[in-house]
Amino acid sequence: MSFPKNLVIGDYVYIGPNAFIQALGGVTIKKGTIIGPDLRLYTANHKFKGAKSIPYDENYERKAVAIGENVWIGGGVIILPGVSIEDGVVVGAGSVVTKPIPKMAIVGGNPAKIIGYRNEGDYEKLKANDMIYMKLKGSGLIKPNFHN
């Protein structure tokens, strides 16, 4: 983690082990988001266009990253500066997110591309009833089921 003062995290968020969040440009992670292990999230890059030295200079181009509510980000995902990931998105493991992802999209690959959408009716019903996995797990109302 770098620049933690630029990181805002909502309630019931889980960030898996070995995450690296470079928050120089600002990061917001909203309520109910779950992030798998080995995340790499960047909000700034060295300035190389019009730089005073090569391959880059001492200045940074900063671009905030915003992650919406109830997003599921799989393991080993890389998120680049300036990306917004809207509510209800599922990002497949190993994806490289280079562009904004619209609400309810399921994405995967390098670069991440839309491969489908979640059922918005089901999502909205669960959201209206505050059925957030980490909230329910924390209160003991649900437990992981490794036997189904």
Side-chain angles (χ1 to χ4, degrees), residues 58-72:
E58 74 279 12
N59 297 303
Y60 289 86
E61 294 177 345
R62 302 171 189 201
K63 296 180 182 176
V65 168
I67 300 173
E69 290 186 6
N70 308 307
V71 172
W72 178 17

Side-chain angles (χ1 to χ4, degrees), residues 73 77-81 83-85 91-92 94-101 107 109-112:
I73 297 173
V77 169
I78 299 171
I79 300 173
L80 298 183
V83 165
S84 61
I85 300 173
V91 180
S95 296
V96 178
V97 183
T98 62
K99 295 184 179 169
I101 308 294
V107 301
N110 179 4

